[in-house]
Amino acid sequence: MSAAAVVQGQPGAWEPVIGLEVHVELDTATKMFCGCAVTKGDAPNMHTCPVCLAHPGALPVVNQRAVEYATRIALALNCTVRPRNVFHRKNYFYPDLPKAYQISQFDEPLAVDGWFEYSSGDEKLRCRVNRVHMEEDAAKLVHAGGEAGRIAGSEYSVVDFNRGGTPLIEIVSEPDIRSPAAARDFLQQLRDLVIELGVSECNMEEGQVRWDANISVRPAGSADLGTRTELKNMNSFRYLQQALESELPRQVEVLEAGGRIDQETLHFDPAAGTTTPLRSKEEAHDYRYFPEPDLVPLVMDPAWVEEVRAGLPELPGARIARFTEQYGLSRADAVVLGGAGALARFYEEVVARGVDAKLAANWTMGEYLAHLNAAGLEPGHGHVTPERLAGLVRLVAEGTVSTSVAKDVFAKMIAERAEPAAIVETHGLGQISDGAKLEAVVADVVAANPAQVEQYRGGKPQVIGFLVGQVMKATGGRANPKLVNELLRKTLDA
Ligand SMILES: [Zn+2]
């Protein structure tokens, strides 16, 4: 498998074993167990109440919309939604946790035994999903006076309780991921899926989605998992991949030297590109889980679960498969265009205007995506509308403009915010198919290149390629190449 990187080492190579735990904050109107608003960017501590500040005697109430959103995620990940699930208290002390416990789920979670299908390059991969459970987010600690907001070196910390109690979903994968690149693809595509479900914007900067990775290596083909290390609380795809690319060879080196991997939590330093131990024996924590006495078990009505299932949108996996069939795209192209909803909708709106699907795919993935990246735009925003891109694709398909001229037209579509046909007209960019006009250029080129003309007439017909090139150059790439060929032959063979 190309996506399964074999870690370099002595012969008898090692196989990476990677599992991910992904946290997603849900975009519900209110918090998980109280009526406080879930917001972003408001002044600190504006959205608090006795429940989320853990005043004595305050009682939690489950947010039904959060259960619905969590169920959407669970069903989209092909999990079995358990008929009965229970909230537990996960006990630990931390300044961002006023109750000194987090309400989470333990041995009776929302959903179990699913799988997520994702793509890495041309490969279709499947990762089993162990469970999806519901919990509440902690408040946010702000470390002041240090560098980059890190606790190390800071002078003091303050707490913003606005985030405390925000509905949080944890998705736990089985350790089925076999390469750093696949881990990155898994996360990016999982994020796309959650956004598609309409349950979270998954804003990375806000930390709305973040993950832990468990990493170990084993001799290729072995069924053991090996002792794992953990990377905690990451929210950059690139750093995750880099951290894995650094950690996997480190483990191989230790093992090949006859050493042992310590089970520990690692910190990844992006500047140095290395991992360093943060703390050891995460498992040594004892959270003393027990059922939350203030909440009754949640009984899931099967009819309601089916209602939620019926309301799911077309999911990326299904759409990618449809794109390969309906539009004849390669799997790799279908993954790019069909993986995320906004770009998929844009592409389908272009195709709906009756242009060639493959050509439209090339332009959407090529110039259009590059434009979005350069301008920092989301698909569907900006001045390049589906209508305009379809117009350009049509001009290319009809031979009105060559591909290279079309790229120029595309750039002008952004700069001048205009229709492609109008740009071609205004700037005189259309292909020259006027025989009389071209004959004059051909005559000039023939006159200016006597040596090549002689070679052609002396039995080297391939020299015509050079002469065609000269005509194209003289016309700024706008001459109709077929017509140029005909005219040249007519002149030279005369
Ligand atoms: Zn509250």
Side-chain angles (χ1 to χ4, degrees):
M1 292 204 304
S2 62
V6 171
V7 178
Q8 290 304 310
Q10 287 171 12
W14 299 84
E15 181 178 60
V17 179
I18 303 163
L20 295 165
E21 292 172 16
V22 184
H23 283 98
V24 178
E25 275 183 2
L26 301 178
D27 280 334
T28 47
T30 57
K31 293 185 181 179
M32 187 68 210
F33 300 111
C34 64
C36 290
V38 171
T39 59
K40 286 183 211 122
D42 276 9
N45 298 311
M46 295 289 290
H47 304 286
T48 63
C49 75
V51 174
C52 57
L53 287 179
H55 290 191
L59 291 173
V61 177
V62 174
N63 180 337
Q64 184 178 352
R65 186 52 58 86
V67 177
E68 181 196 327
Y69 282 7
T71 304
R72 268 194 223 174
I73 293 177
L75 293 173
L77 293 174
N78 307 291
C79 289
T80 303
V81 174
R82 301 178 62 264
R84 177 183 190 271
N85 61 86
V86 174
F87 288 101
H88 272 69
R89 287 188 183 181
K90 180 180 180 179
N91 298 281
Y92 65 97
F93 173 80
Y94 209 66
D96 61 11
L97 195 68
K99 295 196 291 274
Y101 61 83
Q102 176 193 32
I103 304 180
S104 181
Q105 295 191 302
F106 184 51
D107 55 354
E108 296 185 78
L110 172 72
V112 294
D113 294 336
W115 44 267
F116 177 52
E117 205 167 75
Y118 65 108
S119 302
S120 200
D122 253 340
E123 235 181 328
K124 197 198 293 186
L125 298 170
R126 181 181 282 210
C127 179
R128 288 169 299 154
V129 173
N130 176 286
R131 61 192 269 147
V132 174
H133 77 237
M134 298 180 280
E135 57 191 31
E136 55 178 337
D137 209 349
K140 193 174 168 187
L141 279 177
V142 181
H143 306 296
E147 53 163 320
R150 290 193 56 195
I151 191 166
S154 66
E155 286 169 23
Y156 61 92
S157 301
V158 287
V159 193
D160 176 7
F161 286 100
N162 284 353
R163 195 180 77 174
T166 298
L168 195 66
I169 295 306
E170 183 170 334
I171 300 162
V172 182
S173 92
E174 296 288 354
D176 292 346
I177 300 165
R178 295 288 171 265
S179 77
R184 180 180 180 155
D185 291 329
F186 173 98
L187 282 168
Q188 279 177 329
Q189 289 162 43
L190 180 64
R191 177 174 179 268
D192 289 341
L193 172 70
V194 172
I195 293 172
E196 190 80 34
L197 292 170
V199 300
S200 175
E201 283 180 6
C202 292
N203 184 313
M204 312 278 288
E205 274 140 43
E206 300 274 353
Q208 261 194 306
V209 55
R210 46 196 200 259
W211 52 84
D212 307 334
N214 304 315
I215 315 128
S216 62
V217 294
R218 64 184 176 196
S222 157
D224 292 343
L225 291 181
T227 305
R228 67 190 197 182
T229 55
E230 288 185 46
L231 284 156
K232 286 273 192 194
N233 233 349
M234 305 195 82
N235 65 346
S236 153
F237 298 127
R238 189 160 56 92
Y239 287 172
L240 171 83
Q241 187 174 349
Q242 287 174 354
L244 293 172
E245 282 166 356
S246 145
E247 172 61 6
L248 290 163
R250 185 193 72 85
Q251 291 193 6
V252 169
E253 203 175 306
V254 170
L255 293 170
E256 289 194 343
R260 233 186 35 189
I261 301 297
D262 292 323
Q263 187 170 323
E264 58 192 359
T265 299
L266 304 170
H267 168 68
F268 175 65
D269 179 352
T274 54
T275 53
T276 46
L278 199 65
R279 57 177 183 267
S280 63
K281 294 274 175 198
E282 184 66 19
E283 241 62 7
H285 274 287
D286 183 351
Y287 293 115
R288 295 180 189 269
Y289 280 98
F290 64 85
E292 166 61 63
D294 291 336
L295 290 170
V296 293
L298 214 52
V299 176
M300 306 294 282
D301 176 2
W304 181 82
V305 173
E306 286 317 305
E307 227 174 85
V308 174
R309 193 195 304 275
L312 293 179
E314 182 185 34
L315 301 178
R319 190 169 47 220
I320 288 164
R322 179 168 67 80
F323 276 20
T324 59
E325 282 179 25
Q326 190 174 341
Y327 302 125
L329 303 180
S330 71
R331 185 166 171 85
D333 288 357
V335 167
V336 174
L337 291 170
L343 187 64
R345 278 188 292 278
F346 183 91
Y347 169 67
E348 292 211 273
E349 282 179 37
V350 175
V351 177
R353 284 165 168 82
V355 296
D356 179 71
K358 189 75 186 76
L359 200 54
N362 292 342
W363 280 89
T364 307
M365 290 186 299
E367 302 297 303
Y368 182 66
L369 259 190
H371 158 58
L372 292 182
N373 290 336
L377 287 170
E378 292 293 322
H381 292 79
H383 302 292
V384 182
T385 59
E387 179 72 48
R388 285 180 178 175
L389 190 61
L392 183 62
V393 171
R394 197 173 296 119
L395 292 176
V396 175
E398 288 166 355
T400 308
V401 293
S402 66
T403 302
S404 66
V405 170
K407 287 182 179 172
D408 184 27
V409 174
F410 185 89
K412 289 187 163 64
M413 280 161 63
I414 298 159
E416 299 173 13
R417 305 179 182 184
E419 303 292 334
I423 290 167
V424 169
E425 181 73 33
T426 317
H427 295 270
L429 294 172
Q431 198 167 64
I432 305 168
S433 297
D434 177 342
K437 224 182 247 178
L438 285 180
E439 257 172 26
V441 183
V442 166
D444 286 349
V445 166
V446 167
N449 297 282
Q452 281 78 8
V453 170
E454 201 170 311
Q455 282 176 2
Y456 177 88
R457 287 184 173 145
K460 275 194 168 178
Q462 65 272 26
V463 177
I464 199 161
F466 169 80
L467 297 166
V468 171
Q470 294 304 303
V471 176
M472 297 308 285
K473 205 169 151 190
T475 56
R478 291 168 50 224
N480 177 333
K482 197 161 160 259
L483 190 55
V484 171
N485 247 292
E486 282 171 21
L487 291 172
L488 269 170
R489 282 180 203 284
K490 211 172 84 185
T491 310
L492 296 170
D493 293 343

